[in-house]
Amino acid sequence: MKKNDYRGWQEVFRFSFMQGVKQKSFTGFLIFMCVLLILGPIALTFFQSGKEPEETKVTVQKLYIFDEVNLAIDYENAFEGTDLSDVDVEVRSDITYEEYKTNIEELEDTKDLGVQIGYEDLGYFQLNFVRPAKADLSDEECDMVIDTFVTFFEEAKRKAIDVTEEQMAFINQAVNTEVLFTDESGAIIEEEEAAEGISMDEYFILLGGIMVCLMIITLNGSSVANAIVTEKSTRVVEYLMINVRPMALIVGKILSCICLTLIQFGVMGVSYLISTVIQKALFSQEQIDATMDSMSALQAFQGLNVVNIILCILIILMGILFFSILAGLAGASVSKMEELAEGMKVYQMVQVIGSYIGIGICIMEMMGGVNPLIINICGLIPISTPFIVPAMLLTGRMTVMVALIGFVLLTLLTVLLYIFAARVYESMIFYNGKVLKLKDILTISGVRSGKGGK
Amino acid sequence: MSLEVKELVKSYGDKTVVDHLSFSLKEPGVYALLGTNGAGKTTSIRMILGMLAKDSGEVLWKGKPMDSMNMNIGYLAEERGLYPKYELMDQLLYFAKLKGVAKDVAKERIAYWAKRLEVEEYLYPKQTKGKKKEKPKMADQLSKGNQQKIQLMAALISEPEILILDEPLSGLDPVNTDLFKEIIREEIAKGKYLIMSSHQMATIEEFCKDITILNRGKVVLQGDLNEIKKSYGRVNLFIKCDEEFDDVIAKHGLEVLNDTPDGKQLKVTGEEQAKHFLKDLLAADKTVVRFELREPSLHEIFVEKAGAQHEEE
């Protein structure tokens, strides 16, 4: 018997795929996700756009200016052409800002604000606002007055020193600094890249990514193992083996599981696109953008581009393949459905180790940061690659090169596992007895010498 | 010579489960592969079907190595195999497709066998007026006997050249047993090659010309069933009289193998002793209502051969 005879895998694939599609759990989950992805974003945008900003009623009557920098600025026109044109502006020089501040705090019936414009020794302008604490002024209206005045001041300042907007933008560019460290001899030593922690939002994004990968891989693995044990325990395998060889059987099953997963993702993607199209038809671009902006967690996806997405899909698929072959072996090591949990121990242990490495990295990142070298090393361990690399790559915490190396290593291990499976699967598929241990499987494969069993 | 099994050997570790098994089916008919539980029958069948790698030996079909994947073989396994939660029609079409039967042809054959085996209601859900169409049946909603019928359909759907039936009648009621027997007879009449394994010796005697009895992987008896029986001679005497005849039995020193309301089964050395015994019965004025002298049954031969080996071990 040729163990590597793959004839008939297409039929196994078609049948397994169609039966998978017919499963209520598959269609139920798919419908749920489609509804969620189509209606969720629409509902979110609807509710966001429904929140029309309440028009802030400004009752502030006057803004007193305490100018200590003497720039040639005409403050009296500060609110001209704005919604606050009713607010008067008066430059005070009769009293100091400190005196005004002391007086205003005691007043209850005033609706005036004061601002001190100063220049600090460290080289920047300082605008200090003061408002009567006991007066009937809302935070919103005060903020509106302050924001409008600051905008006016920035513009007036630029005009006062006679620079264009472009020049100002250039001047305002962020200044990057680098501190070099030298050793006793004066030579520059490289400082280890500072590890920065992640926000809670980013933590949930990373953890969510790992959990999604874990869910996909677990679902696929368990469905392959279940299918194999079902065929073994019901003896269907006896019928199949006349026309299909063991490896063709497992290949057909794994590929059907992968296809079902891809369909789920594909349909989910299409659902989201449909949702986007509907959103565009129903809402303005500003409303959609505002909804996207409100989801600050999405900002964590710094590495979101086509290449990275394709690489992530490939890594997840390879992960599914690796863990499905492992699950197939676990399924073949038992004869009854009720023994499956025991047979899956090794599979689960490998999966738990792989995913826990990823979760550990997330927790360490949140607690203060992990050295990127450690993230890379963990991403290169094949059993943790599918759990770590997609999340790290899409959030910009891992380079494409490291992800590629991780993918290659995972592929190599998958190929080795497949060769091993091809050696033992035929003997295991007809095995009917107590749960096979790892050493028994190694004995069957010839890696260990020992007695076989029927 | 069409099907030839030569020196098949299979071992697991240091345990040989099939030890140099050879037999052949020279012409269409039924060959019986017998043995106690664990004798190596199923392993032998799996090797013949190419499901299991053999350590040595070969299986030839019309003089060439047999490749089950390129042949039309029907198999009814001892332990029935159906997916419990999939629709029966889907399963039958799947098995047919694996054997290279086109979907429309498969559907026609399914319809034929469903009618023949009286399982139409499970494969073609009814739609009564004013009521919702019934859901297609799953295997786990069927009785054991009906599941077996579906299995037989799966084995016959490709109109196989070789049919391997492992315990085909176990668990069937008398009506369905007769139905299965009828179908087996039809397949024999069509010139098919059948290998049958069963613990029901009467069924084997009914269908099989040649037999092999395996015990612990070894062949303990093989050949033409009639020849084997003849070699034992007519040593079983079944006798029933209206009167008690224990005194005549004692006079001849015969061993009573069975004592039933239908008479006694006695062990004789041959036809001569039987004739003397009958003569003495008549002389003693006994009314003989049954006198039957025959060879040992396959059941007795099997117990003798396989049972003896068991005791030795």
Side-chain angles (χ1 to χ4, degrees):
Chain A
M1 182 172 115
K2 287 178 188 169
K3 290 177 186 174
N4 56 351
D5 195 330
Y6 294 98
R7 281 176 290 173
W9 75 266
Q10 300 98 323
E11 298 309 328
V12 177
F13 167 79
R14 253 179 240 131
F15 180 74
S16 308
F17 177 77
M18 286 314 297
Q19 294 306 322
V21 170
K22 280 186 176 182
Q23 293 292 308
K24 281 179 188 163
S25 55
F26 177 83
T27 43
F29 177 72
L30 206 57
I31 291 168
F32 172 74
M33 289 310 291
C34 287
V35 170
L36 191 72
L37 284 165
I38 292 174
L39 297 182
I42 295 171
L44 204 61
T45 309
F46 175 76
F47 288 119
Q48 285 286 333
S49 61
K51 285 184 194 167
E52 286 294 329
E54 283 177 30
E55 206 165 299
T56 310
K57 198 179 172 190
V58 178
T59 56
V60 175
Q61 290 171 346
K62 198 174 257 185
L63 176 68
Y64 291 107
I65 311 283
F66 298 89
D67 184 11
E68 294 173 7
V69 292
N70 295 321
L71 285 171
I73 296 173
D74 181 11
Y75 291 110
E76 314 263 320
N77 297 324
F79 298 125
E80 201 175 276
T82 69
D83 293 342
L84 305 177
S85 53
D86 290 344
V87 180
D88 292 333
V89 181
E90 187 185 335
V91 179
R92 299 283 294 266
S93 53
D94 52 327
I95 55 168
T96 64
Y97 172 71
E98 293 303 323
E99 287 167 346
Y100 173 76
K101 201 167 84 171
T102 313
N103 293 335
I104 203 171
E105 281 172 357
E106 299 304 318
L107 297 174
E108 285 183 18
D109 55 350
T110 183
K111 296 253 181 174
D112 301 338
L113 300 179
V115 58
Q116 177 196 34
I117 303 168
Y119 189 80
E120 295 292 316
D121 292 344
L122 288 169
Y124 55 84
F125 290 98
Q126 179 73 37
L127 270 64
N128 296 319
F129 288 86
V130 64
R131 58 182 270 200
K134 293 174 183 171
D136 184 22
L137 287 172
S138 70
D139 289 345
E140 287 76 23
E141 64 179 306
C142 289
D143 286 346
M144 200 170 163
V145 170
I146 290 166
D147 289 346
T148 311
F149 184 77
V150 169
T151 308
F152 161 77
F153 181 75
E154 287 290 335
E155 184 64 15
K157 187 180 70 179
R158 184 179 62 75
K159 284 177 181 164
I161 56 175
D162 197 23
V163 289
T164 64
E165 259 183 69
E166 289 76 25
Q167 286 169 325
M168 184 56 89
F170 183 71
I171 291 163
N172 285 338
Q173 285 286 328
V175 177
N176 214 2
T177 60
E178 187 179 10
V179 181
L180 299 176
F181 293 82
T182 61
D183 60 14
E184 287 168 352
S185 64
I188 294 169
I189 51 170
E190 283 185 24
E191 186 201 14
E192 284 190 359
E193 201 172 328
E196 289 177 17
I198 56 172
S199 68
M200 200 52 117
D201 280 349
E202 286 175 312
Y203 168 72
F204 282 118
I205 287 283
L206 286 176
L207 197 64
I210 290 167
M211 285 303 171
V212 168
C213 293
L214 181 63
M215 190 180 77
I216 296 168
I217 289 168
T218 305
L219 284 176
N220 270 283
S222 57
S223 88
V224 169
N226 265 307
I228 287 167
V229 181
T230 302
E231 283 178 359
K232 274 192 80 176
S233 61
T234 57
R235 309 287 166 184
V236 175
V237 75
E238 298 262 344
Y239 288 89
L240 301 177
M241 287 291 159
I242 302 173
N243 301 93
V244 188
R245 293 300 174 242
M247 286 316 287
L249 198 62
I250 197 169
V251 164
K253 280 194 187 309
I254 289 172
L255 290 182
S256 75
C257 284
I258 290 175
C259 262
L260 289 170
T261 306
L262 285 179
I263 283 177
Q264 282 180 329
F265 277 90
V267 172
M268 283 185 221
V270 170
S271 301
Y272 185 73
L273 284 178
I274 292 169
S275 176
T276 310
V277 171
I278 296 172
Q279 281 185 79
K280 281 187 177 170
L282 294 176
F283 307 104
S284 67
Q285 190 58 45
E286 287 74 33
Q287 287 172 317
I288 297 167
D289 290 345
T291 308
M292 294 302 286
D293 289 345
S294 69
M295 292 189 273
S296 58
L298 294 177
Q299 307 299 322
F301 285 107
Q302 291 166 20
L304 200 66
N305 60 51
V306 177
V307 175
N308 286 358
I309 289 171
I310 291 172
L311 191 54
C312 285
I313 291 172
L314 286 175
I315 288 168
I316 292 172
L317 287 180
M318 194 52 73
I320 293 172
L321 199 58
F322 173 78
F323 281 100
S324 296
I325 296 172
L326 204 59
L329 283 174
S333 70
V334 300
S335 314
K336 296 173 198 160
M337 192 56 88
E338 54 268 29
E339 291 171 345
L340 185 59
E342 199 184 337
M344 293 283 274
K345 274 180 187 168
V346 174
Y347 165 81
Q348 282 165 344
M349 193 176 72
V350 173
Q351 200 181 53
V352 163
I353 292 171
S355 57
Y356 273 36
I357 292 173
I359 293 167
I361 293 277
C362 274
I363 293 169
M364 284 159 71
E365 278 277 42
M366 192 192 62
M367 290 174 75
V370 186
N371 189 316
L373 186 66
I374 295 173
I375 296 179
N376 289 345
I377 290 170
C378 291
L380 294 178
I381 299 169
I383 59 165
S384 61
T385 301
F387 302 109
I388 294 177
V389 175
M392 293 296 165
L393 189 63
L394 292 180
T395 53
R397 314 190 92 76
M398 185 179 276
T399 63
V400 176
M401 185 51 71
V402 176
L404 262 176
I405 296 169
F407 174 67
V408 170
L409 290 176
L410 177 62
T411 307
L412 281 175
L413 189 71
T414 307
V415 170
L416 287 174
L417 183 68
Y418 182 81
I419 293 167
F420 175 76
R423 288 176 68 167
V424 297
Y425 199 68
E426 181 241 345
S427 300
M428 288 174 70
I429 201 80
F430 287 123
Y431 172 77
N432 190 11
K434 63 181 175 61
V435 181
L436 284 169
K437 306 280 183 219
L438 185 61
K439 63 177 183 182
D440 302 321
I441 299 171
L442 291 173
T443 305
I444 293 170
S445 75
V447 173
R448 277 167 60 108
S449 60
K451 291 174 184 178
K454 189 180 177 183
Chain B
M1 195 174 290
S2 284
L3 181 65
E4 200 174 356
V5 175
K6 282 184 173 178
E7 299 290 324
L8 279 191
V9 177
K10 181 73 185 176
S11 301
Y12 292 104
D14 57 0
K15 188 183 177 192
T16 305
V17 290
V18 177
D19 193 359
H20 296 91
L21 170 68
S22 299
F23 66 88
S24 61
L25 272 85
K26 294 169 188 162
E27 53 194 40
V30 189
Y31 193 95
L33 205 52
L34 309 174
T36 51
N37 296 325
K41 301 185 298 289
T42 304
T43 306
S44 303
I45 289 172
R46 283 174 181 167
M47 283 192 286
I48 292 166
L49 287 169
M51 293 179 194
L52 199 60
K54 41 195 176 285
D55 294 345
S56 65
E58 57 181 346
V59 181
L60 303 174
W61 173 246
K62 292 177 181 169
K64 289 178 185 168
M66 191 168 107
D67 177 8
S68 66
M69 294 197 50
N70 289 325
M71 282 184 63
N72 193 353
I73 303 176
Y75 178 44
L76 180 69
E78 180 185 7
E79 289 165 284
R80 315 296 166 213
L82 286 172
Y83 294 99
K85 296 287 177 197
Y86 294 166
E87 288 172 24
L88 294 167
M89 182 60 87
D90 287 353
Q91 298 192 48
L92 286 170
L93 288 173
Y94 176 44
F95 293 138
K97 188 75 185 162
L98 286 174
K99 289 171 189 291
V101 181
K103 197 174 179 179
D104 51 344
V105 178
K107 281 188 170 176
E108 275 176 30
R109 289 180 187 168
I110 290 169
Y112 168 76
W113 284 114
K115 196 173 179 184
R116 187 74 207 281
L117 289 161
E118 297 159 10
V119 287
E120 281 171 302
E121 60 182 300
Y122 308 117
L123 288 159
Y124 304 100
K126 285 182 209 161
Q127 184 160 25
T128 334
K129 254 190 176 179
K131 281 187 179 176
K132 215 176 159 187
K133 194 178 180 183
E134 279 179 27
K135 281 185 179 174
K137 289 275 187 290
M138 313 285 174
D140 61 355
Q141 294 173 295
L142 266 60
S143 68
K144 198 184 167 193
N146 282 327
Q147 284 188 38
Q148 207 158 332
K149 288 179 181 178
I150 303 289
Q151 293 291 308
L152 187 64
M153 283 174 77
L156 295 170
I157 202 164
S158 61
E159 294 190 346
E161 295 170 275
I162 300 174
L163 193 55
I164 297 179
L165 306 172
D166 200 351
E167 290 291 350
L169 306 175
S170 71
L172 290 176
D173 61 52
V175 176
N176 284 316
T177 301
D178 283 351
L179 184 62
F180 267 51
K181 281 181 179 177
E182 200 181 314
I183 290 168
I184 292 169
R185 271 187 217 102
E186 283 171 13
E187 293 302 309
I188 297 166
K190 284 179 195 169
K192 303 280 174 72
Y193 289 80
L194 279 85
I195 295 176
M196 192 192 285
S197 169
S198 177
H199 290 136
Q200 296 177 21
M201 297 301 147
T203 308
I204 297 293
E205 284 184 288
E206 196 176 335
F207 289 108
C208 306
K209 191 170 172 290
D210 297 298
I211 64 160
T212 286
I213 297 178
L214 289 172
N215 198 310
R216 304 277 163 135
K218 284 193 170 71
V219 175
V220 289
L221 188 71
Q222 191 169 56
D224 184 301
L225 185 56
N226 284 331
E227 295 298 324
I228 291 169
K229 281 185 175 180
K230 270 184 197 166
S231 72
Y232 276 84
R234 288 175 178 160
V235 291
N236 283 340
L237 177 63
F238 293 86
I239 190 151
K240 187 180 178 184
C241 298
D242 283 342
E243 303 83 11
E244 277 297 318
F245 56 102
D246 288 348
D247 50 335
V248 188
I249 294 172
K251 183 183 167 191
H252 284 261
L254 297 177
E255 185 187 350
V256 179
L257 298 175
N258 259 321
D259 189 355
T260 65
D262 200 31
K264 287 187 167 75
Q265 182 186 352
L266 306 174
K267 180 112 178 170
V268 293
T269 53
E271 287 177 23
E272 277 305 308
Q273 191 180 24
K275 277 180 194 168
H276 282 297
F277 183 68
L278 179 62
K279 213 177 186 180
D280 285 351
L281 280 174
L282 295 172
D285 206 21
K286 308 285 183 192
T287 315
V288 181
V289 293
R290 183 185 177 195
F291 185 88
E292 185 185 345
L293 184 63
R294 61 171 175 84
E295 295 124 352
S297 65
L298 180 58
H299 178 95
E300 288 156 345
I301 296 170
F302 181 87
V303 170
E304 183 197 317
K305 290 291 175 185
Q309 292 279 331
H310 261 297
E311 280 164 22
E312 277 171 33
E313 279 151 16

